[in-house]
């Protein structure tokens, strides 16, 4: 029996199969590679840095926060064709990869959480969570982004101009590189096409019309056509993978493991049932306490002016 490959991503939004740029780049790469896969949505912990991840049957899972990211895992560990094998040695490859994965990545992250006041990011990452938890996580991420770029109240305008200037230079460079071709290199798709197309789709579909990053992107007609062509051919026209939108929990590690043997059920004793009931009451009480605490944190967080030096990882 053939293995079943399932790409697990954040939920669809903004008329995209998933609103998350990392998830979308993996989705596009698999379609470029003509690799058969199913699509599923992780709804339990949508802010987890493990998403996206790929499941191979019941025995293997590879996460985005391992081994260089999800696309590298697809190429090296899952057996998806390496679309970069013929182009990664070209002179411009390293510099273009750096532009896309640093300047444009940083600009989109900044725009999602800070520049556009976090409304689009909230829809993508937190809207399935209870409001107080989503609000706290969103505020924490915005502070982390500011801390990463060294943004304070005194230099916020200057830092923002620097971020947008680098993004504008990146768009100019990519527009010249693309020209009238269908793809960035050698007229065949690569991982950089997948990553940049995901970036462009989120910029055009998820950011508000007033977004400075979106305005800069729209200045380059060939980049806009490039992204629109991807949307019509890969996303709207198919091929569409089988989709199961049931909630999923994340697996603990990316490794092969045997399936557990079934164990005959035994009847629970009265003492065990009582203990379980008490445990449920305790968990419920703790949950109420956490919600109250997070609500108070949100109230306090809204009064913050100074940027904290929050050391944290990407969601």
């Amino acid at each position: 029996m053939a293995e079943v490959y399932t790409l697990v991503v954040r939920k669809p939004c903004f008329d995209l199969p998933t609103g998350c740029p990392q998830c979308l780049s993996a989705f596009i790469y698999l379609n470029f590679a003509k690799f058969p896969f199913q699509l599923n949505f992780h709804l339990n912990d949508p802010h987890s840095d493990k998403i996206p991840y790929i499941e191979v049957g019941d025995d293997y899972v590879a996460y985005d926060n391992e081994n260089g990211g999800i696309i590298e895992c697809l190429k090296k560990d899952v057996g998806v064709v390496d679309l970069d094998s013929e182009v990664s040695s070209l002179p411009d490859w390293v510099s273009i990869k750096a532009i896309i994965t640093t300047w444009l990545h940083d600009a989109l992250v900044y725009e999602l959480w800070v520049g556009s006041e976090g409304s689009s990011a909230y829809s993508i990452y937190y809207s399935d969570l209870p409001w107080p938890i989503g609000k706290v996580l969103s505020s924490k991420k915005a502070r982390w982004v500011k801390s990463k770029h060294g943004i304070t109240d005194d230099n916020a305008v200057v830092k923002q101009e620097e971020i947008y200037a680098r993004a504008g230079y990146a768009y100019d460079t990519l527009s010249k590189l693309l020209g009238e071709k269908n793809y960035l290199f050698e007229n065949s798709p690569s991982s950089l096409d997948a990553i940049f197309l995901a970036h462009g789709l989120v910029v055009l579909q998820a950011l508000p019309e007033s977004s400075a990053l979106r305005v800069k992107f729209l200045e380059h007609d060939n980049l806009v056509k490039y992204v629109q062509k991807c949307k019509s051919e890969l996303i709207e026209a198919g091929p569409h993978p089988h989709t199961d939108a049931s909630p999923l929990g994340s697996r603990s590690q990316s490794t092969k493991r045997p399936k557990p043997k079934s164990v005959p059920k035994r009847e629970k004793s009265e003492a065990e049932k009582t203990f379980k009931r008490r445990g449920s009451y305790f968990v419920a009480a703790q949950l109420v306490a956490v919600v109250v605490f997070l609500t108070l944190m949100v109230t306090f967080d809204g009064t913050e002016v100074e940027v904290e030096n929050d050391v944290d990882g990407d969601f």
Side-chain angles (χ1 to χ4, degrees), residues 185-296:
F185 291 96
E186 297 293 311
N187 216 24
S188 61
S190 69
S191 66
L192 296 189
D193 289 281
I195 296 169
F196 179 67
L197 285 167
H199 170 94
L201 283 165
V202 173
V203 168
L204 294 179
Q205 299 283 124
L207 296 181
E209 292 185 0
S210 59
S211 161
L213 191 63
R214 188 174 188 273
V215 170
K216 284 187 175 295
F217 193 95
L218 288 170
E219 293 173 356
H220 302 84
D221 290 340
N222 65 333
L223 295 183
V224 174
K225 292 177 182 177
Y226 172 57
V227 171
Q228 290 174 339
K229 183 172 182 286
C230 168
K231 187 171 185 290
S232 62
E233 292 182 356
L234 294 183
I235 295 175
E236 293 176 351
H240 290 290
H242 168 72
T243 301
D244 176 8
S246 60
L248 292 175
S250 62
R251 298 187 181 182
S252 60
Q253 58 184 350
S254 133
T255 182
K256 291 188 177 180
R257 54 199 177 278
K259 296 180 182 179
K261 296 179 180 180
S262 59
V263 179
K265 294 183 179 180
R266 68 174 180 85
E267 197 69 27
K268 292 179 179 169
S269 68
E270 193 60 36
E272 289 174 321
K273 292 178 181 178
T274 301
F275 179 79
K276 184 177 180 180
R277 282 197 301 270
R278 289 177 178 173
S280 299
Y281 298 150
F282 174 77
V283 171
Q286 292 296 309
L287 180 59
V288 171
V290 168
V291 170
V292 172
F293 173 71
L294 290 175
T295 304
L296 292 174

